[in-house]
Amino acid sequence: MNASPTSAPASPPAPAPTTSADPATWGLNHAHDPSIVRDDDGTYVMFTTDAYADGPAPAGAHMRTSTDLITWEWAGTALGEVPAPAREWSNAVGLWAPEVVRWPVGSSEQRWRMYYSASSFGSKTSAIGLATAPTAKGPWTDRGIVVRTEHETNTHNAIDAQVHWDEQGQPWFTYGSFFSGLYVLPLDRETGFTAIPGDLGTRIASRPRSVEGALEGPFLTSRPARCAGSSQNPLVLFVSFDSLINTYDVRVAHAPRPEGPYTDRDHSPMVSSTPDGASIVENPDHVGTLVLAGHQFGGQRPLIAPGHNSVFINDDGASFMVHHVRFGDQPRSHTAQIRRMFWLSSGWPVVSPQPYGGEPAAFDELGAHDVRPELEGAWDVVNFGWEPTYLAHEHLPESGAPVVPARTMHGDGTLTALGAFEGVLCQAVVPGAGEGADARTVPAFTGYARVERDGVTRTVAVFGVKHADAARDLEA
């Protein structure tokens, strides 16, 4: 592939916090817990939590639309309110983490299904409801509660739903946040409700109370058939660890079946606690293969707490990860980012070092010692095994937010020189240097590294972009 840098149209700058209460001015600002589908007319529709960083938000599951995955416009709320059954059960004032699926069976009037969460912070009295529509843009009709939990009765929390259809045509429903962990159960193919009435599912991931049980936002998907392990462990689970305010990050694991067992790339079990919260692993921070965390490239704003991701596959087969993120210099604000995602032959996913800016989908997969001239020269590299810098800010907890800074590394044409043992050579759009400057499409790579910390060798993500000066030299 040709990964030499080219000029690119000026891409939208990283969204700055906005104080306007008018959603029409937001773009991707204030987006939280995002997911994307492509409607039948080709429009991309993003669904997000009812959130506004500076005050109350419109209720009913926020919608935004786009024709290019870059520029997004407010499209209102799907339901206009918290549906009565969910509101009466949970006392929720808004809906969280809407999951929207194009249903392959049943009536065309219910072709699209939305699973929304209703709860309040810190409570397990929660509900996940179902709404249906003939198109992704609506009109949406509430159908009632699918799963509910009660704070004094249940050990887990019924929020953060996601649906995965397996190769046998069975829909599986994953959900959960903090407390005793994440759960999965089968759904009825026709109705979209639980296949077994009252079923709360099987626990598939958990963390001990020593780290506040901090994981949520499950997203289950299948490995491409070309990948190693696609027959033994065909399922990949994305989850978010730690605090959404400052330490959030995205990790992955795999499993042979929806009910597990799920293990990460280093064979650590994702169920790392007993149901009452006691740890069953030596270090709960060493569970889950890290694919994205807080980081900063030179000349760009520090990004903190990326998480609650979903995966979107475009019509051309290209994969994207969409997630929310905060800015280290203004952490109360949050926005959504979309990144290209690639599947390595080993069966593990990696994501672009930069948000999507219209760059080509082409990529070359490389082993540690494969030589490519594009990998020579100076690079800005983020290796998530490096010690992070902890940002301090008046709106952050005292512990601050971890940010892994990019380091300048000099490539000899191989991934090994940049710290990776496998990965892909791709392209990324980086912001222009200075106000009004055009963005640039430059060589980029993303892959995995092995690092040792606390006497333990772990596999973590590493990615980078061609250093600006080196990129100009190549262009010349």
Side-chain angles (χ1 to χ4, degrees):
M1 62 169 273
N2 178 11
S4 60
T6 60
S7 60
S11 61
T18 174
T19 57
S20 172
D22 179 6
T25 68
W26 290 357
L28 288 179
N29 285 320
H30 307 293
H32 210 270
D33 311 324
S35 63
I36 295 174
V37 297
R38 195 166 196 181
D39 207 351
D40 298 325
D41 65 0
T43 305
Y44 299 103
V45 186
M46 179 184 290
F47 294 85
T48 63
T49 284
D50 297 343
Y52 172 50
D54 301 310
H62 291 185
M63 298 192 300
R64 294 165 171 84
T65 58
S66 176
T67 59
D68 60 6
L69 294 175
I70 299 173
T71 302
W72 292 85
E73 296 182 353
W74 174 257
T77 66
L79 292 166
E81 63 179 356
V82 178
R87 182 181 65 249
E88 292 166 3
W89 176 259
S90 66
N91 292 319
V93 297
L95 298 180
W96 297 349
E99 157 78 344
V100 174
V101 183
R102 192 181 193 280
W103 214 254
V105 298
S107 163
S108 61
E109 292 303 305
Q110 298 187 31
R111 180 63 65 208
W112 292 88
R113 311 285 175 99
M114 175 194 294
Y115 293 88
Y116 59 82
S117 299
S119 187
S120 58
F121 285 104
S123 173
K124 299 196 298 288
T125 299
S126 308
I128 298 172
L130 171 64
T132 63
T135 75
K137 292 186 288 294
W140 288 93
T141 302
D142 184 54
R143 302 295 176 182
I145 293 175
V146 178
V147 171
R148 72 183 81 200
T149 51
E150 200 276 327
H151 192 80
E152 301 300 330
T153 304
N154 299 105
T155 64
H156 68 299
N157 195 15
I159 64 171
D160 292 359
Q162 187 255 337
V163 176
H164 170 70
W165 284 75
D166 67 18
E167 293 184 356
Q168 290 70 46
Q170 171 62 54
W172 292 89
F173 183 81
T174 57
Y175 72 102
S177 172
F178 281 67
F179 300 104
S180 68
L182 311 181
Y183 288 71
V184 66
L185 58 84
L187 294 176
D188 183 277
R189 284 170 41 87
E190 298 292 335
T191 68
F193 286 85
T194 57
I196 303 170
D199 185 16
L200 292 178
T202 300
R203 194 167 66 130
I204 57 172
S206 67
R207 301 190 73 201
R209 59 176 173 268
S210 61
V211 291
E212 300 180 342
L215 84 166
E216 59 187 3
F219 191 96
L220 185 61
T221 191
S222 294
R223 282 183 164 133
R226 65 175 177 80
C227 293
S230 61
S231 58
Q232 296 89 356
N233 289 288
L235 298 174
V236 172
L237 176 70
F238 294 79
V239 299
S240 293
F241 272 33
D242 296 325
S243 167
L244 64 82
I245 300 299
N246 60 341
T247 55
Y248 230 28
D249 59 49
V250 179
R251 307 192 185 205
V252 293
H254 65 182
R257 61 190 67 85
E259 302 98 325
Y262 289 85
T263 56
D264 67 14
R265 189 156 188 177
D266 299 313
H267 312 294
S268 297
M270 293 300 287
V271 175
S272 61
S273 66
T274 63
D276 64 358
S279 180
I280 57 176
V281 296
E282 184 173 345
N283 188 331
D285 291 328
H286 290 171
V287 174
T289 298
L290 184 63
V291 294
L292 186 64
H295 62 279
Q296 183 178 21
F297 282 102
Q300 299 181 35
R301 298 175 75 185
L303 300 177
I304 65 172
H308 204 119
N309 79 286
S310 59
V311 173
F312 164 69
I313 301 175
N314 212 348
D315 293 346
D316 61 2
S319 294
F320 296 84
M321 175 192 284
V322 55
H323 60 90
H324 68 245
V325 70
R326 298 172 186 271
F327 298 105
D329 55 351
Q330 216 154 2
R332 288 183 61 252
S333 65
H334 45 83
T335 189
Q337 291 186 338
I338 301 161
R339 297 171 185 263
R340 284 201 180 275
M341 191 178 87
F342 308 96
W343 288 97
L344 303 181
S345 296
S346 62
W348 295 95
V350 291
V351 298
S352 172
Q354 294 286 341
Y356 177 66
E359 69 273 9
F363 68 94
D364 282 348
E365 183 170 355
L366 303 177
H369 303 294
D370 292 337
V371 178
R372 292 290 188 279
E374 297 96 326
L375 290 172
E376 297 177 359
W379 286 74
D380 290 332
V381 177
V382 171
N383 183 316
F384 289 109
W386 291 337
E387 291 290 343
T389 298
Y390 282 84
L391 298 183
H393 192 280
E394 61 178 325
H395 294 299
L396 286 171
E398 290 183 4
S399 60
V403 173
V404 178
R407 299 181 185 176
T408 298
M409 301 184 71
H410 294 275
D412 65 359
T414 67
L415 286 176
T416 299
L418 301 176
F421 68 85
E422 65 172 359
V424 300
L425 177 63
C426 55
Q427 297 182 47
V429 175
V430 298
E435 186 175 352
D438 284 350
R440 294 170 58 80
T441 302
V442 301
F445 83 93
T446 177
Y448 285 101
R450 292 190 179 97
V451 296
E452 185 172 335
R453 181 181 295 180
D454 301 331
V456 177
T457 300
R458 300 177 60 210
T459 305
V460 299
V462 55
F463 55 36
V465 293
K466 194 81 170 187
H467 194 273
D469 292 338
R472 292 191 190 96
D473 292 343
L474 274 179
E475 190 174 46

